[in-house]
DNA sequence: CCATTTGCCTAAAGCCTTTAGGGAAAGGCA
DNA sequence: TGCCTTTCCCTAAAGGCTTTAGGCAAATGG
């Protein structure tokens, strides 16, 4: 019985691939074991349980999203930064729907606090440096941006905008235009 | 063996209650049978399978959401309508998280087209009558509203805004103020 | 009152998770 | 090189969930 060379990290990476192919929900210990060519029980030396596996995939996805966001933001400001950040977010979700779903997996507070999600959130806030918003309005705006990005991508992925004109890409572009205009003229409380 | 008087509709209603208590994901044929006090196999005379059960719960939730939205919209226009509609949406999600999750259950296109989701979408569009938007910008705005409502509520439910100031209610109010301002000054393409 | 339909049951197969315990491969050290 | 320990993957088994098949008893209705 040749060794398969498994580690928790490798399982998370393969689990992420699997998630993109069959959906995050369907990533089971069984399916993962089949994919790597070992018996199910063998996984349990590396991961504690299914929840642990999903958490690791979630952390991996958050890491990737934060890395891409950082790349996109480098050297940009204002509307440029907003659009680059938003596009990278949406493109990631469309290219890796399973990983994107994983990134929305509920993490316990300690894990979430130590995840790359924090880095990603800080970058969302950094975008607002190009606009003139003080606290607490800045936080409200951060939350609005998060809501729009997640909401749009999630509805789009669920097929909510398909099979009807106009094209969803069009709506995305106009949504970002509108957000930029809104942030520049943010209403007083 | 006294008869329990089950029907597909009753199972959907009880399933919806169960969803709010234990989460939509955990609504299994097993759990439902335990709840109504019959053996699991007995459910299969009324529902085709688990997917069918979840679909019925989803349709129920969409129906309820559309009914409440219609009530909220009656006799209102402009920002009033926007706020009433949005509040009803958010309040429903917070009072019935399991049903809200059910409402996001992916329906096949035919089922979705016959669901109350269509009515709900039409109402979202009706809100825009209070603002001055022509096609295709109106559709972009409908999609933006849907994204913000779903995105905000979903992040809030997942705990994304908790344990940090300001209060999420505050952000909701300001988000609606911002949306109203945006719709009134919608940028030209 | 009997026949049919309907509703819930038992039984069983198949897949999933998780734990327990065993044997073989890898790696360190004499 | 040869042994010893650790590591890794395996078999076995228990328990939960889904779904189908077939049976008996309660409701319905002529």
């Amino acid at each position: 019985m040749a060794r398969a060379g498994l580690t928790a990290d490798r399982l998370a990476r393969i689990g992420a691939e699997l998630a993109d192919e069959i959906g995050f929900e369907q990533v089971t210990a069984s399916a993962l074991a089949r994919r790597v060519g070992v018996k199910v029980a063998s996984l349990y030396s590396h991961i504690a349980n299914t929840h642990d596996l999903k958490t690791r995939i979630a952390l991996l996805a958050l890491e990737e999203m934060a890395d891409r966001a950082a790349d996109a933001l480098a050297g940009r400001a204002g509307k440029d930064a907003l659009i680059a950040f938003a596009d990278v977010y949406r493109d990631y979700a469309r290219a890796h729907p399973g990983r994107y779903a994983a990134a929305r997996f509920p993490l316990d507070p300690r894990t979430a606090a130590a995840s790359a999600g924090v880095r990603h959130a800080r970058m969302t806030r950094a975008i607002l440096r190009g606009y003139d918003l003080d606290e607490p309005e800045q936080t409200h705006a951060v939350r609005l941006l998060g809501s729009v990005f997640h909401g749009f991508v999630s509805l789009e992925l669920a097929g909510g905008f398909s099979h009807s004109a106009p094209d969803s890409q069009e709506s995305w572009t106009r949504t970002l235009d509108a957000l930029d205009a809104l942030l520049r003229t943010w209403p007083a409380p």
Side-chain angles (χ1 to χ4, degrees), chain A residues 16 164 171 185:
Chain A
S164 65
S171 289
T185 63

Side-chain angles (χ1 to χ4, degrees), chain A residues 2-7 10 38 46:
Chain A
R3 299 199 168 187
L6 302 183
T7 64
R10 244 195 99 212
V38 299
H46 305 282

Side-chain angles (χ1 to χ4, degrees), chain A residues 19-177:
Chain A
D20 287 335
E21 292 169 28
I22 65 177
F24 183 60
E25 292 304 320
Q26 335 302 324
V27 176
T28 62
S30 252
L32 186 59
R34 269 193 299 276
R35 163 68 62 113
V36 298
V38 299
K39 296 293 172 179
V40 194
S42 306
L43 300 184
Y44 285 81
S45 311
H46 305 282
I47 57 166
N49 48 44
T50 306
H51 186 274
D52 176 36
L53 171 64
K54 293 193 164 184
T55 299
R56 287 171 193 274
I57 300 177
L59 293 174
L60 177 70
L62 289 170
E63 206 70 65
E64 290 183 354
M65 291 177 75
D67 286 350
R68 292 177 190 216
D71 277 1
L73 244 41
R76 290 191 225 262
K79 188 175 182 182
D80 268 5
L82 174 69
I83 289 182
F85 182 85
D87 277 345
V88 144
Y89 183 91
R90 174 165 173 257
D91 290 347
Y92 184 82
R94 303 194 326 159
H96 302 290
R99 284 160 148 98
Y100 181 71
R104 313 246 51 98
F105 185 69
L107 301 177
D108 71 272
R110 309 192 72 81
T111 310
S115 77
V118 174
R119 215 167 98 228
H120 197 272
R122 263 203 306 269
M123 287 188 267
T124 308
R125 192 171 289 268
I127 292 174
L128 296 181
R129 258 184 232 128
Y131 301 89
D132 191 33
L133 287 172
D134 292 328
E135 288 299 358
E137 298 304 309
Q138 191 176 82
T139 296
H140 300 320
V142 167
R143 290 174 175 176
L144 171 58
L145 287 184
S147 299
V148 175
F149 296 162
H150 167 54
F152 191 100
V153 163
S154 139
L155 295 180
E156 184 180 27
L157 239 44
F161 303 153
S162 50
H163 306 306
S164 65
D167 195 276
S168 103
Q169 170 61 45
E170 196 70 26
S171 289
W172 178 247
T173 303
R174 295 295 294 131
T175 289
L176 296 181
D177 288 344

